[in-house]
Amino acid sequence: MNDLPVDPDINALEAISNSPPRRKTLYYSQQLRTTTGGNQPPHHSNHPRNHSLDEIDILAAAASDDFYRYPITTGSSGGATDMMDYVGTADGANGFDDSQLLPNQPLPEFVGGAGGAGVYKAPIRAAMHPNRPPCLEIRPHPLRESQGGKSIKTIASTDTQLWAGQDSGVRVWKYSDTFDPGTFTGTAGRRLPRGDEETATFHESASTSQTLSLMVDEGSKLVWSGHKDGKVRSWKMDQQFSDGNAFKEGFSWQAHKTPVLSMTISFYGDIWTGTEGGVIRIWPWEALEKSLGLTQEERRMAALLVERSAIDLRAQVTVNGVCSISSSDVKYLLSDNVRAKVWAAGSQTFSLWNARTRELLKVFNIEGQIENRVDMPSQEQPVEDEVNVKLVSKGKKDKSQGFLQRSRNALIGAADAVRRVAKGAGALVEDMKKIEAMMIAPDGVIWTGCTNGVLILWDGNGSRVQDFTRHPAAVQSICSHGSRIWVGYATGHIQILDLEGNLVTGWVAHNEPIIKLVVGHGHLFSLATHGGIRGWNISSPGSTDSTLRKELSERSDMYTRRDKVTIMVGTWNVSQGRASQTALKSWLGSAVSDVDIVVVGLQEVEMGAGFLAMSAARETVGLEGSSVGQWWQDHIGKALDERSIFERVGSRQLAALLIAIWVRKTIRPHVGDLDVAAVACGLGRAIGNKGGVGLRLRVYDRLICFVNCHFAAHLEAVNKRNADFDHIFRTMTFTRSTPNNVAAGVSSANQALKNSNQTTSTSPEEARPDLAEADMIVFNGDFNYRLFGISYDETRDLVSQRSFDWLREKDQLRAEMKAGKVFQGMREAIVRFPPTYKFEIGKPGLGGYDSGEKKRIPAWCDRVLYRDNKAGMAKECSLDCPVIAYISQYDACMDVIESDHKPVRCKLCLDIAHVDKTIRRQEFAKILTTNEEIRSSIEALRFVPETVVSTNSIELQNQDTSNLKITNRSAAEFVFYKIVCVRLCTIKDDVKEPEYRPRGSFGFPRWLEVTPGAGLIRPDQVVDVSVHHEEFHKLEDLVDGVPQSWWAEDTRDKELILVVVVQGSCSTDVKTHHVTVRHRFNGNTIRIDAKTQEDNSHHKFIRQTST
């Protein structure tokens, strides 16, 4: 009844005798003659790879059609997959001999069961990702190692350009050039930097300090950047970028002594900057405007004038040494142009400010609770005048109060630290509530995202309106356009929400956290931590995505590139010993002439209860490695000639386990992004005598993982070994490799924390372990699987006769893999070398097997297995199956005698298919311009609903208010509007034509209030906008808030042009309405409140210093 294919090993065995070979009478105390004795030269051809006549009979009994270069798997009734041995070639009746194989030809393989489902299934790969919209790759994922000094930290978009802040300045892409082959405009004579070979054409600035924040000022046609050295720099948008020359900054000044962490331009055109210690400074537009108009030679003096114009908000709210706002770093500044306010945010607190009067409105925490702060001023806070000096040194009583306050704060901090330690895992709860992203939506709602994945919505007064979670990972960035909200997460996911927070859709955009999202040129641009930038159509996902995906997939041959890579994997349980250079040369050095990557896994590098306990303690504080582990790496590197041929890329040590990797220098530019991981399987899943250490790296843009393991010992512990593998496979979590022996963390702890944060259900694809998402996985190590159902003497007999086919039938690992209980779906070359355990140290040859009292049965404990992208029938290497591998060499170095295990090596030959991003970007452009369906869809996005503005002219006198009505005439579409001030002038009697000038970022003069300045208009609805004159005098003298000299007051009429900018829910275009506002001065006495007087006094100071 069972139609499943029969295991070919069983069929083969039926063709030979049913009894094992006749035992020979041998004295095991004698050294057996082998071709791998200690006197033989160390060369791989001398290792025991000859096979017994029984093996030849196995191959002769099967038809040549039954053997394939790659295995075929067939499902069985038990859900597992029948296992087969396969060979790369068969010779029918003449039999098969490894000696007939040409170099680098595939060896026969054995395949584990149950590999086609669940987490053991190879990840889905395709020319175009089936589960996300097609994207425009402005900057393809660069290798991390290539980003020294060029790592991109943030991005910002203008109407025609995409700007990026990096470690050494800024760079800019013109949207008109994004589809051209990559070229680099920077220092003359320089080629494209490593990591930017496939980047779209860009221009780079002259070198500066690291850029931390960027801000677009469309009104002044400038991009402002904040830097690590505390400077703010300006860059002209419309400058000419010449080939071979780095463009230079415009105006700059020293804004802070510490890094400029955040920036914004207020409703009134002032620049606000935030830095460490809770310091916020305002740079009035009046001072900046004068400086921007000066020549290059005059700008040094202008910078000093701007620096002296600073308004330090922290100083304003500090009284007698007590400050009302938090001293945490100002990570975010946000201008609320709907209500003319500015939000400042630290990690867990907010402060809300009036953009016009610059007064503090409210201080509250992430829970929405109002806080009364008693923080001490930052060290950066200067004492700027004699009054402040007197306040600081007022008397002994005030000094003692300051000391008591500082003591109280210190005690509170210590108690908080103790509480966190006492809570253990729960100590991270507060950290998980940190603010990581902030944005104002077009309807005026403020959105913040936290490290625990919670999104919080606030109204304009700082009241918490709503909170919810749509994804369990940390929120890293938020962006909006029309009715869409995009949220970027630490997992690389992007989600689209509506204005109420309902989930619309989502996809995996990057394989690393998304740290910035911006909208520009009809696209959403996402920046990941690795520095890659992708552009997504703002209407995606939509109907045109499937058309674009289909056409790009059909052209995949045009942008597919294929490369070959050879990897040598070595594993050795060194039994706390040290190897000679001769042994290392025999094991590794003699076999790497044609190898591109060498991976070495060692077990029992160093043992002992004290060492293991100390290693576990070091891991808890983020430290790893040992001097012995370093000794091994140095000596292996010497055997590989790492200085001239190979480069050591990285390593990870967990107590007794060590894995390290070397890459041939000729292939090094295509290999990088090294991540590391460790999972303990020893006592309580905490001690590293047993467990696994892993390395993950990107080779030609494909992920390959290497895992070195040491499983539970003893013949009967099969289930424990299976459980060790399952625990490592499911919990190993990779993190960035760090220098100076700083551990990346034990993965089981990281995975537990990750799982604890999952407050919502996740899809099976999201829940897949890190290893399951790799294109290729290689497991090596001392797996400790033994031979069962056979005695010591029988094993020795079969080994002496090279009857490895019989021994394989007694192999625990083979049996467990065939049953689908371990290493599901993984492959191993047929073992044709003697068992590698257990030997007496120092005894050469096969006579060295354990002959003591225990007489441990020899076993193949030391193995190498792998899984690539193949699933089922053999496939050609393509973007659908990008990594195809086979084993060309698999043997043990029997002449090495420094341990009770023999070292094993395995050579894997890989075919790797990857994408030429430049060619695909060009094909992307061709489809956009030639496909009529896509062109019409793009054109449809330009639609803007019809709107009407009640007037195009408003005239105000002192304190007058006028209402401007904006009507949405669409019966179905939402309309989003914002009001900007594009031009401003003072009416002069002797000038017929007014001289208009813009304010920063189209900001408003302080004498005009427009509320609300932006918002949403529902279908067939009208919104009323209040346009109000609020007197803002510029006087030389003020007494009790009343002007004393009318001649000193600016009594001229003023005029400005308001522009109402209107767009639809997902429009790429806008419509505008122009409204002229004129203020006519009258001479009635106006009362000026104390705050206004303070502001005017400050501006008087600015004018005096400016002259």
Side-chain angles (χ1 to χ4, degrees):
M1 299 295 292
N2 191 351
D3 295 331
L4 296 174
V6 181
D7 191 328
D9 285 348
I10 298 176
N11 291 336
L13 289 173
E14 291 176 352
I16 62 175
S17 170
N18 291 326
S19 59
R22 180 173 58 85
R23 291 181 59 187
K24 295 181 180 180
T25 303
L26 293 173
Y27 296 98
Y28 293 112
S29 58
Q30 296 178 332
Q31 176 179 335
L32 298 178
R33 264 191 330 174
T34 72
T35 59
T36 58
N39 297 325
Q40 296 294 329
H43 192 275
H44 74 271
S45 61
N46 294 330
H47 285 281
R49 296 181 54 78
N50 297 322
H51 311 299
S52 67
L53 291 176
D54 303 298
E55 292 171 297
I56 298 175
D57 288 340
I58 291 175
L59 299 175
S64 61
D65 291 341
D66 293 334
F67 296 90
Y68 304 91
R69 172 175 173 179
Y70 301 115
I72 305 172
T73 57
T74 306
S76 65
S77 58
T81 306
D82 286 345
M83 305 312 115
M84 306 179 186
D85 289 351
Y86 297 93
V87 296
T89 181
D91 195 23
N94 294 327
F96 170 80
D97 190 340
D98 269 4
S99 63
Q100 298 174 4
L101 286 175
L102 296 174
N104 292 332
Q105 290 299 302
L107 295 177
E109 293 179 348
F110 174 79
V111 189
V119 296
Y120 305 112
K121 181 180 180 180
I124 298 173
R125 296 290 186 257
M128 296 298 297
H129 197 294
N131 298 323
R132 71 179 175 214
C135 65
L136 169 62
E137 296 210 58
I138 296 290
R139 191 190 194 213
H141 176 167
L143 294 177
R144 192 183 307 139
E145 292 80 357
S146 69
Q147 294 305 287
K150 298 295 179 183
S151 178
I152 294 180
K153 304 299 182 183
T154 185
I155 54 176
S157 177
T158 72
D159 291 337
T160 60
Q161 300 166 334
L162 181 69
W163 290 72
Q166 57 188 21
D167 285 341
S168 57
V170 298
R171 65 168 63 178
V172 59
W173 288 268
K174 293 182 178 179
Y175 290 133
S176 58
D177 299 337
T178 51
F179 295 110
D180 297 339
T183 58
F184 166 59
T185 300
T187 305
R190 286 185 56 189
R191 301 174 58 188
L192 275 167
R194 184 186 169 199
D196 284 309
E197 295 86 352
E198 296 179 310
T199 300
T201 299
F202 67 95
H203 310 275
E204 198 168 63
S205 74
S207 181
T208 70
S209 174
Q210 184 183 79
T211 306
L212 301 178
S213 52
L214 283 177
M215 181 175 61
V216 173
D217 181 355
E218 292 283 1
S220 305
K221 294 298 179 183
L222 295 173
V223 172
W224 300 93
S225 56
H227 296 262
K228 190 175 181 179
D229 61 1
K231 281 192 173 184
V232 173
R233 294 175 168 89
S234 67
W235 312 88
K236 290 183 178 180
M237 295 182 193
D238 54 2
Q239 63 181 295
Q240 295 298 317
F241 301 104
S242 58
D243 294 339
N245 295 314
F247 63 90
K248 297 181 180 180
E249 67 188 67
F251 176 64
S252 66
W253 76 93
Q254 190 73 43
H256 299 275
K257 296 179 181 178
T258 49
V260 182
L261 303 178
S262 54
M263 304 172 67
T264 193
I265 299 184
S266 75
F267 187 74
Y268 294 99
D270 301 327
I271 292 181
W272 294 49
T273 59
T275 185
E276 298 171 355
V279 175
I280 305 171
R281 287 180 178 169
I282 301 176
W283 311 91
W285 175 249
E286 289 76 13
L288 293 171
E289 184 181 30
K290 293 177 182 178
S291 301
L292 292 173
L294 299 178
T295 64
Q296 191 70 35
E297 293 74 17
E298 296 172 322
R299 283 183 177 174
R300 186 173 180 276
M301 180 60 67
L304 295 175
L305 295 176
V306 170
E307 290 167 16
R308 297 185 65 182
S309 74
I311 301 170
D312 197 312
L313 296 183
R314 189 172 182 83
Q316 288 189 5
V317 295
T318 301
V319 180
N320 294 337
V322 177
C323 187
S324 302
I325 60 175
S326 171
S327 60
S328 62
D329 297 348
V330 184
K331 297 170 61 178
Y332 309 99
L333 284 168
L334 176 69
S335 179
D336 177 1
N337 291 341
V338 177
R339 309 166 189 88
K341 296 178 181 178
V342 174
W343 291 58
S347 296
Q348 293 182 323
T349 58
F350 301 89
S351 56
L352 187 58
W353 304 81
N354 185 309
R356 179 178 180 276
T357 64
R358 300 150 181 170
E359 64 181 345
L360 179 63
L361 303 177
K362 187 178 181 181
V363 178
F364 53 101
N365 61 25
I366 199 169
E367 302 296 337
Q369 301 166 342
I370 296 177
E371 291 198 345
N372 294 317
R373 284 274 160 187
V374 289
D375 290 344
M376 298 305 296
S378 165
Q379 291 183 354
E380 180 181 306
Q381 178 63 45
V383 180
E384 295 185 351
D385 52 45
E386 294 180 357
V387 176
N388 286 339
V389 172
K390 292 177 181 179
L391 286 173
V392 170
S393 58
K394 195 170 183 180
K396 295 183 178 180
K397 184 175 181 180
D398 286 338
K399 286 184 179 180
S400 63
Q401 287 177 348
F403 171 76
L404 291 174
Q405 185 61 60
R406 288 193 296 270
S407 301
R408 175 180 176 274
N409 290 342
L411 290 172
I412 291 174
D416 183 63
V418 172
R419 175 178 54 79
R420 291 192 178 201
V421 172
K423 282 186 176 181
L428 295 174
V429 172
E430 288 191 9
D431 290 339
M432 298 307 294
K433 291 184 180 180
K434 285 185 177 179
I435 302 163
E436 291 292 342
M438 195 172 184
M439 180 264 320
I440 181 168
D443 62 353
V445 176
I446 286 81
W447 290 56
T448 56
C450 305
T451 47
N452 60 355
V454 174
L455 291 162
I456 306 174
L457 275 55
W458 309 80
D459 67 15
N461 297 319
S463 298
R464 185 165 169 160
V465 176
Q466 183 185 3
D467 64 85
F468 49 85
T469 301
R470 297 289 179 259
H471 187 68
V475 177
Q476 298 283 283
S477 52
I478 314 176
C479 182
S480 69
H481 179 81
S483 60
R484 289 192 165 195
I485 307 293
W486 289 274
V487 184
Y489 293 94
T491 55
H493 283 70
I494 286 178
Q495 285 185 338
I496 300 178
L497 310 179
D498 61 21
L499 294 176
E500 285 72 40
N502 301 309
L503 178 62
V504 177
T505 187
W507 63 90
V508 179
H510 297 273
N511 63 351
E512 288 191 15
I514 299 172
I515 56 176
K516 190 69 174 180
L517 294 171
V518 297
V519 172
H521 199 60
H523 286 79
L524 168 78
F525 292 99
S526 57
L527 168 67
T529 52
H530 51 55
I533 302 173
R534 286 175 169 167
W536 315 85
N537 192 288
I538 61 170
S539 65
S540 292
S543 59
T544 58
D545 291 333
S546 57
T547 303
L548 187 55
R549 186 185 296 113
K550 179 176 179 294
E551 291 215 19
L552 279 171
S553 297
E554 291 173 351
R555 304 185 187 198
S556 61
D557 289 343
M558 302 180 67
Y559 53 79
T560 299
R561 301 292 178 264
R562 294 175 178 85
D563 287 279
K564 294 184 180 294
V565 176
T566 303
I567 300 175
M568 174 69 75
V569 179
T571 179
W572 191 10
N573 185 324
V574 299
S575 190
Q576 305 182 72
R578 305 282 180 101
S580 66
Q581 205 63 32
T582 301
L584 294 176
K585 278 284 186 183
S586 173
W587 174 34
L588 300 171
S590 63
V592 297
S593 60
D594 61 343
V595 171
D596 300 302
I597 299 173
V598 178
V599 180
V600 177
L602 304 178
Q603 308 85 43
E604 296 190 12
V605 170
E606 197 170 353
M607 297 287 282
F611 170 75
L612 295 176
M614 182 60 69
S615 295
R618 283 165 55 84
E619 288 280 345
T620 61
V621 295
L623 297 176
E624 60 123 336
S626 69
S627 58
V628 177
Q630 191 61 45
W631 182 93
W632 276 102
Q633 292 185 61
D634 292 342
H635 283 72
I636 292 172
K638 185 177 179 181
L640 296 175
D641 196 8
E642 70 176 354
R643 290 188 177 181
S644 59
I645 299 176
F646 286 92
E647 177 182 336
R648 193 186 313 176
V649 175
S651 65
R652 179 68 165 98
Q653 183 173 354
L654 174 66
L657 289 161
L658 172 65
I659 187 170
I661 186 168
W662 287 260
V663 175
R664 188 175 291 271
K665 291 186 176 182
T666 55
I667 197 180
R668 185 67 176 92
H670 307 287
V671 179
D673 279 4
L674 180 72
D675 296 322
V676 299
V679 178
C681 292
L683 181 64
R685 300 286 194 207
I687 304 300
N689 60 320
K690 297 293 189 290
V693 286
L695 300 177
R696 179 177 67 186
L697 74 163
R698 189 173 294 274
V699 181
Y700 285 108
D701 207 32
R702 300 300 174 187
L703 286 177
I704 302 179
C705 295
F706 302 93
V707 185
N708 172 38
C709 301
H710 195 185
F711 295 161
H714 305 303
L715 177 67
E716 67 280 0
V718 178
N719 291 336
K720 181 67 170 64
R721 287 189 276 276
N722 294 350
D724 285 348
F725 164 77
D726 189 71
H727 179 62
I728 292 171
F729 189 91
R730 292 180 182 275
T731 65
M732 181 164 276
T733 304
F734 289 91
T735 55
R736 287 194 176 190
S737 174
T738 52
N740 302 323
N741 295 331
V742 178
V746 180
S747 295
S748 53
N750 293 342
Q751 189 73 16
L753 178 59
K754 188 164 105 176
N755 293 339
S756 69
N757 296 332
Q758 293 184 355
T759 56
T760 60
S761 60
T762 56
S763 67
E765 195 70 22
E766 292 176 3
R768 285 168 63 86
D770 283 3
L771 288 174
E773 287 302 304
D775 292 289
M776 182 171 179
I777 314 168
V778 181
F779 270 86
N780 68 269
D782 179 2
F783 300 154
N784 255 324
Y785 287 92
R786 310 302 173 89
L787 300 180
F788 67 96
I790 188 170
S791 69
Y792 174 83
D793 290 339
E794 289 173 335
T795 304
R796 293 291 301 268
D797 277 349
L798 294 175
V799 170
S800 67
Q801 297 178 60
R802 301 287 195 273
S803 295
F804 301 135
D805 53 309
W806 290 98
L807 287 180
R808 286 197 303 271
E809 292 301 310
K810 303 298 181 181
D811 180 20
Q812 285 181 341
L813 178 57
R814 180 187 176 92
E816 295 299 302
M817 288 178 66
K818 180 178 279 190
K821 295 181 178 179
V822 72
F823 292 109
Q824 291 86 344
M826 295 195 183
R827 303 163 185 263
E828 181 187 28
I830 301 302
V831 180
R832 301 186 184 277
F833 52 82
T836 55
Y837 173 83
K838 177 182 185 182
F839 289 85
E840 295 181 22
I841 297 176
K843 268 195 174 183
L846 297 179
Y849 281 114
D850 181 21
S851 59
E853 291 183 8
K854 294 184 179 180
K855 285 192 174 181
R856 292 180 178 85
I857 299 172
W860 287 298
C861 291
D862 309 286
R863 314 285 276 268
V864 179
L865 297 89
Y866 79 96
R867 188 269 289 157
D868 57 11
N869 283 125
K870 290 192 301 290
M873 291 292 293
K875 291 186 177 181
E876 290 186 358
C877 182
S878 67
L879 296 180
D880 294 333
C881 186
V883 179
I884 289 182
Y886 65 86
I887 296 175
S888 64
Q889 180 180 346
Y890 190 35
D891 56 13
C893 298
M894 306 304 291
D895 57 333
V896 175
I897 59 175
E898 281 89 343
S899 171
D900 58 355
H901 290 251
K902 300 297 182 183
V904 172
R905 61 190 177 192
C906 176
K907 187 181 291 186
L908 293 137
C909 299
L910 281 64
D911 290 326
I912 300 178
H914 56 101
V915 173
D916 185 323
K917 306 295 195 318
T918 300
I919 300 299
R920 188 168 69 178
R921 191 167 56 241
Q922 293 173 344
E923 294 303 312
F924 192 102
K926 292 177 183 178
I927 296 170
L928 292 181
T929 55
T930 59
N931 186 287
E932 289 300 325
E933 179 187 348
I934 294 176
R935 289 180 63 186
S936 62
S937 176
I938 293 174
E939 184 65 25
L941 288 175
R942 300 183 62 186
F943 170 74
V944 179
E946 183 182 359
T947 54
V948 175
V949 174
S950 59
T951 182
N952 61 2
S953 178
I954 296 175
E955 187 168 308
L956 301 173
Q957 292 190 352
N958 294 356
Q959 307 294 324
D960 275 359
T961 300
S962 178
N963 283 337
L964 178 68
K965 296 183 182 294
I966 308 172
T967 304
N968 177 9
R969 287 194 170 180
S970 172
E973 298 289 334
F974 286 80
V975 164
F976 297 88
Y977 76 93
K978 64 178 179 179
I979 302 175
V980 297
C981 174
V982 294
R983 289 179 292 175
L984 171 70
C985 74
T986 300
I987 305 299
K988 299 179 181 179
D989 295 334
D990 56 343
V991 178
K992 294 182 179 181
E993 291 294 330
E995 297 179 1
Y996 289 102
R997 64 185 189 280
R999 287 179 67 86
S1001 194
F1002 299 124
F1004 287 76
R1006 245 177 297 279
W1007 53 264
L1008 188 67
E1009 293 181 349
V1010 178
T1011 309
L1016 161 70
I1017 312 176
R1018 299 183 181 277
D1020 289 327
Q1021 297 292 312
V1022 179
V1023 65
D1024 285 331
V1025 177
S1026 170
V1027 181
H1028 173 71
H1029 174 265
E1030 182 67 34
E1031 190 59 62
F1032 186 76
H1033 291 285
K1034 293 183 178 179
L1035 303 177
E1036 296 297 327
D1037 298 290
L1038 292 168
V1039 177
D1040 296 329
V1042 178
Q1044 299 301 298
S1045 301
W1046 290 113
W1047 61 267
E1049 185 176 356
D1050 185 1
T1051 60
R1052 294 171 294 183
D1053 293 347
K1054 307 174 190 68
E1055 185 174 285
L1056 56 81
I1057 305 297
L1058 296 184
V1059 174
V1060 182
V1061 183
V1062 178
Q1063 67 179 26
S1065 295
C1066 199
S1067 302
T1068 58
D1069 209 346
V1070 298
K1071 289 184 177 179
T1072 59
H1073 304 277
H1074 289 67
V1075 180
T1076 302
V1077 178
R1078 186 161 188 162
H1079 167 240
R1080 294 191 180 278
F1081 179 81
N1082 69 43
N1084 295 330
T1085 302
I1086 306 297
R1087 179 187 172 275
I1088 302 176
D1089 59 27
K1091 185 64 184 178
T1092 306
Q1093 177 179 346
E1094 180 181 330
D1095 287 342
N1096 290 337
S1097 298
H1098 175 76
H1099 284 283
K1100 171 186 172 182
F1101 169 75
I1102 295 174
R1103 290 197 306 274
Q1104 289 174 345
T1105 56
S1106 299
T1107 55

